[in-house]
Amino acid sequence: MPPGETCGRERGEPLILDLSKPSVARMYDHLLGGTDNYQVDRDACAELLRMAPSTRDLALVNRAFLVRAVRYLADRGVRRFLDHGSGLPTSPNVHEIAQAVDPSCEVVYIDNDPVVAAHGNMSLAEDPSTTAVLEADMRETEKIFESPQVKRLLRGQQPVAALFVSVLHCIPDSDDPWRLIRRVAERLPAGSYMVISQLASDDADLRDRITRFMAESTGNNWGDVRSFSEVNRFFTDLELLEAKEQKPVEVSRWRPDSDLAPRQNSEEWVEYGGVALIK
């Protein structure tokens, strides 16, 4: 989800939608086959698919990576998850995956899009003791970690999995997303984890064209499609798990469920990342 200018609305403040511009969250929802989107989002997706035809497959592959990563960490004993830029609820969502392993698992979803927060609060109202939605800009680490929702998640200093799945490309270089990852890692208890994926390509022309299109379409609620070496930097000082040569991978190749699992075959751009232990 793209960083926005505000960190949330006061309780009772009316929700105002700007439907003149597509939303990255709603575009992703459309690519995944969801219904929480509008014609402006579908039109933007159509143009994006014209520029990069593998984009829908890429979204599906990335969602499958999220499912595998959360299940893998829950199987390793992680019971607390902090999902940055969570996007519109899509089943199975993080709490559903984790709680299938252990119903006591707790999740805080963070997103600055008020539509995401509204949908999330409606869908999670059934169990507020284990799930919460924080309407906030994921760049404001201090504010997030001072919130009651996250303070509760951190009680007892148990390991936490911080998720940045397909969101860091929404942060421009000028806001230093690499420093964001370090700030979050510094605030997590010992034995915590990072799950990171980002849109990446070594085709500089494609990176520039898609970055420019998404920035113009969304009113600059976008960052950068990055090179593989730039994404590698997110994992500096982290210990990658289930990774050969301690390098991130195209995410469909990270612990696939089977040899028949969907793979991202296009080289135009991919979701690139992995799961890492914070040293």
Side-chain angles (χ1 to χ4, degrees):
M1 240 354 25
E5 295 181 355
T6 65
C7 286
R9 295 170 295 119
E10 297 296 329
R11 185 177 298 274
E13 185 178 337
L15 176 61
I16 300 175
L17 293 181
D18 179 4
L19 297 183
S20 65
K21 293 182 177 64
S23 151
V24 178
R26 297 193 309 260
M27 289 176 66
Y28 190 60
D29 176 75
H30 174 62
L31 291 169
L32 291 175
T35 59
D36 292 317
N37 52 79
Y38 299 92
Q39 191 61 48
V40 65
D41 309 304
R42 296 188 284 272
D43 290 345
C45 284
E47 178 61 19
L48 187 57
L49 286 165
R50 186 192 65 78
M51 299 170 67
S54 68
T55 299
R56 178 169 280 110
D57 293 338
L58 181 149
L60 294 169
V61 159
N62 182 72
R63 192 71 194 181
F65 165 67
L66 172 68
V67 171
R68 296 195 308 279
V70 171
R71 187 173 60 225
Y72 170 81
L73 291 172
D75 285 340
R76 288 175 68 100
V78 177
R79 297 293 178 261
R80 297 175 183 179
F81 296 82
L82 188 57
D83 189 2
H84 293 78
S86 54
L88 286 159
T90 300
S91 187
N93 219 329
V94 172
H95 70 285
E96 295 170 322
I97 304 160
Q99 289 170 8
V101 176
D102 185 335
S104 71
C105 287
E106 300 176 38
V107 180
V108 175
Y109 295 99
I110 300 168
D111 206 295
N112 73 315
D113 189 324
V115 175
V116 170
H119 277 270
N121 281 316
M122 288 175 58
S123 65
L124 301 178
E126 60 200 36
D127 193 359
S129 66
T130 58
T131 55
V133 179
L134 176 61
E135 187 181 338
D137 185 323
M138 63 181 165
R139 294 170 297 183
E140 295 199 338
T141 306
E142 194 67 35
K143 181 168 185 136
I144 289 169
F145 277 78
E146 287 300 315
S147 69
Q149 297 95 323
V150 175
K151 280 187 172 182
R152 183 179 185 280
L153 194 75
L154 295 175
R155 72 193 185 283
Q157 292 295 295
Q158 292 185 23
V160 173
L163 313 181
F164 289 88
V165 179
S166 198
V167 293
L168 292 170
H169 45 251
C170 295
I171 300 178
D173 286 357
S174 58
D175 284 343
D176 198 349
W178 300 277
R179 177 58 186 151
L180 168 61
I181 294 300
R182 293 195 298 274
R183 289 200 309 267
V184 172
E186 289 164 359
R187 287 166 172 79
L188 293 177
S192 291
Y193 297 86
M194 285 281 186
V195 181
I196 298 170
S197 67
Q198 136 104 61
L199 291 169
S201 173
D202 275 342
D203 182 335
D205 179 63
L206 179 79
R207 290 200 309 269
D208 291 344
R209 284 189 291 113
I210 293 181
T211 294
R212 185 167 55 253
F213 166 72
M214 288 298 295
E216 292 172 353
S217 298
T218 63
N220 286 320
N221 280 325
W222 185 255
D224 294 277
V225 181
R226 296 188 168 93
S227 68
F228 295 108
S229 62
E230 288 173 319
V231 179
N232 289 343
R233 289 175 52 200
F234 289 124
F235 295 92
T236 301
D237 297 327
L238 301 177
E239 180 183 340
L240 274 157
L241 305 178
E242 307 290 338
K244 296 179 180 179
E245 300 177 358
Q246 279 296 295
K247 289 184 178 179
V249 294
E250 185 275 303
V251 298
S252 72
R253 302 181 185 278
W254 188 86
R255 288 180 57 85
D257 290 326
S258 75
D259 291 339
L260 300 178
R263 298 291 177 91
Q264 175 71 17
N265 293 317
S266 169
E267 294 300 322
E268 56 196 13
W269 64 344
V270 299
E271 286 281 359
Y272 182 66
V275 176
L277 174 67
I278 299 171
K279 296 180 180 178

